[in-house]
Amino acid sequence: MKREWWQEEVVYQIYPKSFYDSNHDGVGDLRGITEKLDYLEYLGITMVWICPMYQSPMDDNGYDISDYKKIAPEFGTMEDFDELVAKAKERGIKIMLDLVINHTSDEHPWFQKALEDPDGPFHDYYIFQKGAKEPNNWRSVFGGSVWEKVPGRDEYYFHSFGKKQPDLNWENPKLREQLYEMVNWWLDKGIAGFRVDAITFVKKDLTWRDREADGADGLSKCTRACRNQPGIGAFLRELKERTFDLHSCVTVAEAPGVPYGELGDFMGEKGYFSMIFDFRYADLDIASGSEWFKRRPWTIKELGEKIMASQTELQKWGWGANFIENHDQPRAATKYLREGQNNPEAVKTLAAMYFFLRGLPFIYQGQELGMTNFQRNSIEEFDDLSSVDQYYRSIEEGYSPKEALEFVNLRSRDNARVPFPWNGERYGGFSTEKPWLGMAREYPPVNAKDQAGREGSILEFYREMIRFRQKGEHRDCFVWGSIEPVESSPHVIAYKRCTEEENIWCWFNFSGLEAEERVPMGNMEPVWQSHGEARVCGDFLYLKPYQSVMLKEV
Ligand code: NOJ
Ligand code: CA
């Protein structure tokens, strides 16, 4: 693969509503990000992905856009945005935006005009069907039918996600033209690229036929019929050719549902995007990607196998986009470490395991502090649309309200969306006003001020990992090297990073007990160890509880 500038980045994901509130109204904003550039520079990241900051009624916190070219007033102005891009650039930090083009808000003027005039040109920007009842039994991602009745008419509109998020009709070339114009307009402003939202949803099964019901509500999950459907390639290729190809930009697609066999179409030199996120191991605690109540047991061995399968497949085509958290996922420490979640050494081994995989590391705000999930006591305390849906659906499926609340606490997207704790003061120094979303603790003990400069802290560990990958002696191997799985004991995940010059073996102990690993080569020298010296005796490496060790063949 030809080398590209973006392959060397370390990305930090910001949820603007919860990063920093510069004008103290309880809601994070763009100036808040600009004011915290010092922190991002201190951490060492090179690119930021900002979740949607466009004008929006915020029904799904910005993933429901009512004007693609305006900034949400609660987040600031276009001047604030331009200032952020310019100030970030001065520090060598690039800005990526979130591109949400599968749907808009129902408050977008296109949709408003579509409702007003069923014979007008905007009606065909969305998906409508005439009739006195829902045209089929598909369930939307956030629950209930994908069809919502148009008030006063025997007509329904289609939404894959919430009912305030009508899907755009990609079959209409005029609509696609409008989207391309908008995408180019943002790229011309000098942003580095996009994270592309829900892009595998843009093609639907146009027969609209019923599917077999899969829940107590009698509905069938819509992803079977409106995700990665045949024919999607023509849309995505055109999108790429008309926009991304005209700029030196980076794109990372949220593309669930793409089989490994089709990765080459979606990523790499010939693919529609630079990279895609692979969700297979992010969802290993649930039996079905979107149903939180279908929980399943899993082991570290299985996690390791899934990660290595993913890396091996991604490597065939291009570059990984590696993450353990984002704004849709619970906190990684809680999800992957369970009883080890409050042990900083456990958090570090998890961090290093994913950070040194082949590809771009993505860090979600607060992950670098080892934040954990919260515990809420009633469904009223949640903001996230899907938490509310999953709560009531669990009850409909026969679980008790207590069990339903437990599923939601484990999986709620609000876990990651709580305000960022800058210090141990009230509201974590995020704002002087009560934040828009309740924090786990009003005076958070886990916070950036406490960890900055403190030896052994998780934040300092992240800084060290970033420095080691970006500027360390083995940079070439960790950035450009290939990856291969390595056999290990059940609680250890291991892999090898290799270039022509170097072979570096990496072991990560996910257990509170010592682990013994066979070291295959005679001469190995440590290049990294997370706490204390690596102990190698003869053919064996002894890892302390939750230790990570990397040895180089000499
Ligand atoms: C995926 C986004 O990450 C999520 O937050 C959002 O709710 C859906 N797409 C719909 O846009
Ligand atoms: Ca604010």
Side-chain angles (χ1 to χ4, degrees), residues 20-36:
Y20 181 62
D21 176 16
S22 71
N23 63 346
H24 299 289
D25 59 358
V27 180
D29 43 61
L30 293 178
R31 286 192 152 206
I33 305 176
T34 308
E35 283 182 31
K36 294 296 183 184

Side-chain angles (χ1 to χ4, degrees), residues 174-245:
K174 284 208 194 85
L175 172 265
R176 301 204 302 274
E177 283 304 321
Q178 293 266 14
L179 294 177
Y180 303 155
E181 187 276 326
M182 176 276 290
V183 171
N184 286 320
W185 184 84
W186 278 105
L187 287 168
D188 286 339
K189 267 174 109 39
I191 60 162
F194 292 107
R195 174 267 189 186
V196 190
D197 185 69
I199 199 66
T200 38
F201 283 80
V202 296
K203 180 84 188 179
K204 328 292 184 206
D205 170 5
L206 300 176
T207 68
W208 307 107
R209 66 186 167 86
D210 272 354
R211 302 287 164 129
E212 199 184 322
D214 58 17
D217 57 4
L219 301 177
S220 174
K221 66 163 160 197
C222 70
T223 48
R224 297 164 203 249
C226 67
R227 199 176 73 181
N228 203 29
Q229 292 299 300
I232 193 171
F235 291 159
L236 301 184
R237 179 147 311 282
E238 188 187 85
L239 166 66
K240 175 187 163 156
E241 287 171 0
R242 297 290 310 280
T243 61
F244 312 144
D245 273 356

Side-chain angles (χ1 to χ4, degrees), residues 128-131 133-138 145 147-148 156-157 208-210:
F128 289 94
Q129 297 248 339
K130 290 207 165 56
K133 67 179 204 20
E134 289 86 356
N136 63 30
N137 70 343
W138 302 358
S145 171
W147 299 101
E148 185 67 17
Y156 286 78
Y157 70 85
W208 307 107
R209 66 186 167 86
D210 272 354

Side-chain angles (χ1 to χ4, degrees), residues 18-179:
S18 294
F19 193 56
Y20 181 62
D21 176 16
S22 71
N23 63 346
H24 299 289
D25 59 358
V27 180
D29 43 61
L30 293 178
R31 286 192 152 206
I33 305 176
T34 308
E35 283 182 31
K36 294 296 183 184
L37 283 170
D38 275 350
Y39 174 76
L40 299 176
E41 195 177 9
Y42 177 75
L43 191 55
I45 57 92
T46 62
M47 184 148 72
V48 166
W49 148 27
I50 310 178
C51 284
M53 70 311 147
Y54 315 94
Q55 183 181 295
S56 161
M58 299 285 164
D59 197 56
D60 189 20
N61 289 328
Y63 285 93
D64 46 325
I65 298 171
S66 57
D67 191 329
Y68 283 109
K69 293 187 182 172
K70 288 215 174 90
I71 303 290
E74 55 269 62
F75 292 161
T77 61
M78 195 57 86
E79 287 70 48
D80 295 336
F81 177 79
D82 292 339
E83 188 188 10
L84 168 59
V85 175
K87 291 252 161 84
K89 192 170 176 199
E90 283 168 19
R91 295 162 193 254
I93 297 174
K94 306 170 188 79
I95 305 281
M96 263 172 91
L97 296 185
D98 215 308
L99 183 61
V100 190
I101 48 179
N102 174 66
H103 45 269
T104 66
S105 161
D106 62 341
E107 296 181 28
H108 194 291
W110 295 342
F111 191 71
Q112 290 301 316
K113 287 182 198 156
L115 288 186
E116 271 159 33
D117 183 2
D119 301 315
F122 291 98
H123 194 258
D124 201 32
Y125 274 35
Y126 294 88
I127 301 166
F128 289 94
Q129 297 248 339
K130 290 207 165 56
K133 67 179 204 20
E134 289 86 356
N136 63 30
N137 70 343
W138 302 358
R139 180 192 309 109
S140 72
V141 175
F142 294 155
S145 171
V146 293
W147 299 101
E148 185 67 17
K149 193 169 178 334
V150 175
R153 276 209 301 269
D154 274 350
E155 194 177 33
Y156 286 78
Y157 70 85
F158 180 92
H159 59 90
S160 302
F161 294 89
K163 60 180 176 206
K164 281 182 69 61
Q165 295 167 296
D167 280 42
L168 289 163
N169 176 19
W170 273 66
E171 306 291 334
N172 178 353
K174 284 208 194 85
L175 172 265
R176 301 204 302 274
E177 283 304 321
Q178 293 266 14
L179 294 177

Side-chain angles (χ1 to χ4, degrees), residues 363-376:
I363 303 167
Y364 178 74
Q365 66 182 48
Q367 175 189 324
E368 77 278 22
L369 306 176
M371 287 179 78
T372 53
N373 277 3
F374 51 58
Q375 196 63 36
R376 302 196 189 231

Side-chain angles (χ1 to χ4, degrees), residues 514-525:
E514 188 172 85
E516 179 188 89
E517 299 302 309
R518 186 171 275 283
V519 181
M521 298 291 297
N523 281 333
M524 301 280 260
E525 118 191 336

Side-chain angles (χ1 to χ4, degrees), residues 374 376 381-384 412-418 437:
F374 51 58
R376 302 196 189 231
E381 293 174 45
F382 290 86
D383 167 81
D384 166 27
S412 176
R413 308 191 298 174
D414 285 349
N415 281 305
R417 297 176 179 187
V418 292
L437 182 65

